[in-house]
């Protein structure tokens, strides 16, 4: 989910912010906090997940929505717990202007609160095969409508957004041939579905390879976003090898990350593949500042992940996963790929789960690392030049209770620039008070929330002022033109060969017939902040006419 800040400030934070509060919520069963929204008007955090402080559904694990005090982190109330006899959960939450909530997740139950489950396959250990689940409730937690999304086999929803036309767009995977998803080849395929806010399906599309060789393929979407023109960008993973008869193109060089651009009616406008020859995973995508930001983790070291400057480590599982953040233009061309160095995690795996892009192009992200015998949560911050400003890990004291693990799932930045992250923690000793980052656990997994102090901010410099384009006729001997631009006090000009990303040009000159355009960026030498845009300056030398005959 993207966090839109109300100012054009930039960040100048080089150490992680302090923890304001650190809370575990749950009972002696399994709980997790998957997604949340910050409601500053009500001084509340609304946390969606599995189970909660009140178990109301009476089943195995129920889908829940809890209200948390934003100032203290204390539990206020369980707004709703819905489900049946098996595992049901919410991993996304949206609050409507009238106080209603739209909750998105998955469901395995066919009884209790669940109506309309599409599946006909039953697993005695886990319940009915999974459907996606969309539920609208009022402020009191009562169901207004619900929609089970599936084909009769196994289906899941990975992400959801409220689109600019006022509808709900969901993405995920489908595997089956019945229900309310038209899956053409009955294998694991990616899908998009648009639903109005009254629970009616408007349209959907399935994205598949349909391998002509009859090889079983798996294509799925993990995240989606929308640009300012109403186009949809769906990010996912594919192990389709092709050749394909379906509507997605086969991968080349083993690249497993695929990105599809559609219009608002889900017609394909463009598609592309990214990655390397090893395992690549796409986790989140955001639209901001006229481009796309993609976060994930990868074991590849070639093609799009070929960066000799970043160390490559191995662990007991082989090549270590490295977190990455890509910048991609709206034609789906790769602009930059920043690989988070493995040594910040002591050479263990880094699995990104959520990426938020601030208005100034800084990227804050969270995830999980297996730094030690069990997992720990991590957060990090990249500036708008993709420099890693800070990175830190959070978890228990393994010496006090070695049988534990922690994960971060979602990160958001509030209007006051405080950072909140959600996840789950586990301590096998109920009621243990730890000297680590988990101060208290109620037993097994608890939903976990941490609030950090506001990010330190500074004001970005204004873009440089061009002294003017330079156009001259050829001289003898041939002259050299130099691009110039003016900046404010304590600022310097940094020249690039492109308006976005690109390469630094130490000497922006022209000493041959033709023209060239350089782009000036202002850099504040005290704060390290850069201007949000670059100023173009064009140099041109016109060829002299031939001498008279």
């Amino acid at each position: 989910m993207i966090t839109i800040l109300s100012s054009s400030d930039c960040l100048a934070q080089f150490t992680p912010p302090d923890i304001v509060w650190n809370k575990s919520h749950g009972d002696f069963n399994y709980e997790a906090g998957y997604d949340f929204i910050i409601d500053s008007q009500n001084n509340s955090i609304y946390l969606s997940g599995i189970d909660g402080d009140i178990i109301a559904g009476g089943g195995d694990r129920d889908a829940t929505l809890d209200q948390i005090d934003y100032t203290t982190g204390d539990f206020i109330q369980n707004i709703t717990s819905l489900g049946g006899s098996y595992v049901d959960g919410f991993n996304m939450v949206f609050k409507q202007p009238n106080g209603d909530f739209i909750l998105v997740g998955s469901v395995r139950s066919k009884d209790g609160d669940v109506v309309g489950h599409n599946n006909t396959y039953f697993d005695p250990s886990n319940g009915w095969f999974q459907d996606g689940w969309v539920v609208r409730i009022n402020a009191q937690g009562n169901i207004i409508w619900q929609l089970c999304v599936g084909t009769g086999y196994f289906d899941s929803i990975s992400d959801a957004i409220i689109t600019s036309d006022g509808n709900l767009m969901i993405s995920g995977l489908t595997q089956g041939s019945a229900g309310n998803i038209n899956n053409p080849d009955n294998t694991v395929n990616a899908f998009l579905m648009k639903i109005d806010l009254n629970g009616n399906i408007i349209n959907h599309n399935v994205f598949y390879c349909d391998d002509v060789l009859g090889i079983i393929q798996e294509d799925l979407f993990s995240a989606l976003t929308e640009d300012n023109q109403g186009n949809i960008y769906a990010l996912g993973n594919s192990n389709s090898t092709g050749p394909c008869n379906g509507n997605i193109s086969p991968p080349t060089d083993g690249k497993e990350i695929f990105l599809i651009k559609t219009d608002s009616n889900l017609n394909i406008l463009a598609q592309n593949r990214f990655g390397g020859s090893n395992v690549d995973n796409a986790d989140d995508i955001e639209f901001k500042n006229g481009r796309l930001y993609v976060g994930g983790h990868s074991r590849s070291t070639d093609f799009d992940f070929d960066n000799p400057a970043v160390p490559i480590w191995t662990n007991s599982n082989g090549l270590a996963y490295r977190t990455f953040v890509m910048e991609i233009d709206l034609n789906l061309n790769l602009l930059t790929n920043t690989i988070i160095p493995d040594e910040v995690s002591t050479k263990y795996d880094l699995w990104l789960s959520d990426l938020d892009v601030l208005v100034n192009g800084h990227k804050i992200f969270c995830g999980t690392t297996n730094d030690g015998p069990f997992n720990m949560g991590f957060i990090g911050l990249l500036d708008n030049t993709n420099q890693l400003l800070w990175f830190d890990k959070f978890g228990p004291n393994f010496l006090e209770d070695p049988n534990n693990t922690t994960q971060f799932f979602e990160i958001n930045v509030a209007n006051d620039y405080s950072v909140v992250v959600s996840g789950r923690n586990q301590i096998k000793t109920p009621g243990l008070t730890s000297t680590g980052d988990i101060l208290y656990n109620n037993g097994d997994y608890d939903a976990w929330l941490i609030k950090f102090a506001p990010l330190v901010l500074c004001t970005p410099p204004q873009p440089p002022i061009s002294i003017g384009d330079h156009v001259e006729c050829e001289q003898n001997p041939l002259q050299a033109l130099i691009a110039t631009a003016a900046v404010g006090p304590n600022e310097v000009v940094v020249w690039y060969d492109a308006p976005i990303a690109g390469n630094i040009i130490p000497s922006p000159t022209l000493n041959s017939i033709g023209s060239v355009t350089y782009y000036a960026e202002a850099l504040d030498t005290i704060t390290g902040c850069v201007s949000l845009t670059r100023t173009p300056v064009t140099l041109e030398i016109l060829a002299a006419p031939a001498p008279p005959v």
Side-chain angles (χ1 to χ4, degrees), residues 83 104 109 114 167 177 188 273-274 345 389 396 435 545:
V104 182
S109 300
V114 183
N167 295 297
S177 58
V188 179
R273 299 265 182 165
F274 307 93
S345 187
L389 298 184
T435 59

Side-chain angles (χ1 to χ4, degrees), residues 113-161:
D113 304 302
V114 183
V115 177
H117 197 294
N118 292 283
N119 263 303
T120 57
Y121 292 87
F122 183 77
D123 178 350
S125 300
N126 299 310
W128 298 94
F129 277 26
Q130 183 171 289
D131 259 11
W133 200 23
V134 184
V135 182
R136 181 163 185 159
I137 63 172
N138 60 21
Q140 291 73 43
N142 301 311
I143 295 176
I144 298 173
W145 56 259
Q146 63 175 290
L147 175 67
C148 291
V149 177
T151 58
Y153 196 63
F154 184 90
D155 310 275
S156 69
I157 300 173
S158 60
D159 201 8
I161 58 174

Side-chain angles (χ1 to χ4, degrees), residues 11-29:
L11 297 173
Q13 176 107 28
F14 299 97
T15 57
D18 294 332
I19 292 177
V20 176
W21 50 253
N22 176 1
K23 300 287 184 174
S24 296
H25 296 288
D27 57 14
F28 290 99
N29 206 324

Side-chain angles (χ1 to χ4, degrees), residues 297-474:
H297 53 283
S298 172
R299 281 179 168 161
S300 292
T301 59
D302 53 3
F303 300 110
D304 295 329
F305 294 95
D306 183 11
N307 187 344
V310 179
I312 299 171
W313 302 110
T314 59
N315 54 36
S316 59
N317 298 316
L319 286 173
Y321 278 107
R322 303 182 296 175
T323 280
F324 66 85
V325 177
M326 294 178 174
E327 295 184 25
I328 298 171
D329 68 24
L330 299 190
N331 293 317
L332 309 191
N333 300 305
L334 180 63
L335 299 174
T336 66
N337 184 17
T338 302
I339 303 171
I340 310 302
D342 298 278
E343 63 264 28
V344 300
S345 187
T346 324
K347 306 179 184 180
Y348 287 91
D349 294 314
L350 292 175
W351 302 298
L352 185 143
S353 59
D354 191 36
L355 169 70
D356 268 11
V357 182
L358 309 185
V359 70
N360 56 8
H362 283 62
K363 283 79 65 177
I364 192 166
F365 54 90
C366 72
T368 302
T369 173
N370 61 342
D371 189 0
F374 295 94
N375 297 336
M376 298 180 72
F378 69 78
I379 60 173
L381 180 70
L382 292 168
D383 69 12
N384 59 356
T385 66
N386 293 316
Q387 298 299 309
L388 184 65
L389 298 184
W390 50 259
F391 180 96
D392 206 357
K393 304 182 295 291
F394 300 87
N397 185 330
F398 292 109
L399 297 178
E400 294 175 340
D401 189 347
N403 300 311
N404 49 54
T405 186
T406 59
Q407 294 174 279
F408 284 159
F409 299 129
E410 182 78 11
I411 191 166
N412 281 317
V413 179
N415 289 334
D416 64 356
Y417 299 99
S418 297
V419 177
V420 181
V421 63
S422 69
R424 66 178 183 179
N425 65 56
Q426 180 189 38
I427 295 180
K428 287 297 187 180
T429 304
L432 172 69
T433 300
S434 172
T435 59
D437 297 306
I438 301 173
L439 301 183
Y440 189 86
N441 180 280
N442 296 287
D444 203 2
Y445 281 105
D446 273 5
W448 193 21
L449 279 170
I450 300 179
K451 179 182 176 181
F452 297 88
L455 297 168
V456 177
L457 303 175
C458 66
T459 302
Q462 292 297 312
I465 299 173
S466 172
I467 304 303
D469 296 336
H470 299 278
V471 181
E472 295 184 4
C473 292
E474 176 188 6

Side-chain angles (χ1 to χ4, degrees), residues 181-230:
I181 300 177
N182 180 22
N183 189 6
D185 68 355
N186 200 30
T187 62
V188 179
N189 293 317
F191 80 93
L192 291 174
M193 178 179 288
K194 181 186 284 191
I195 303 166
D196 69 25
L197 299 190
N198 292 314
N200 303 303
I201 297 175
I202 299 174
N203 63 343
H204 75 281
N205 198 357
V206 175
F207 303 84
Y208 65 106
C209 173
D210 191 15
D211 190 280
V212 298
L213 301 179
I215 301 173
I216 295 178
Q217 311 293 337
E218 290 188 4
D219 307 296
L220 59 94
F221 286 142
S222 54
L224 75 159
T225 191
E226 181 188 31
D227 67 19
N228 54 2
Q229 303 298 315

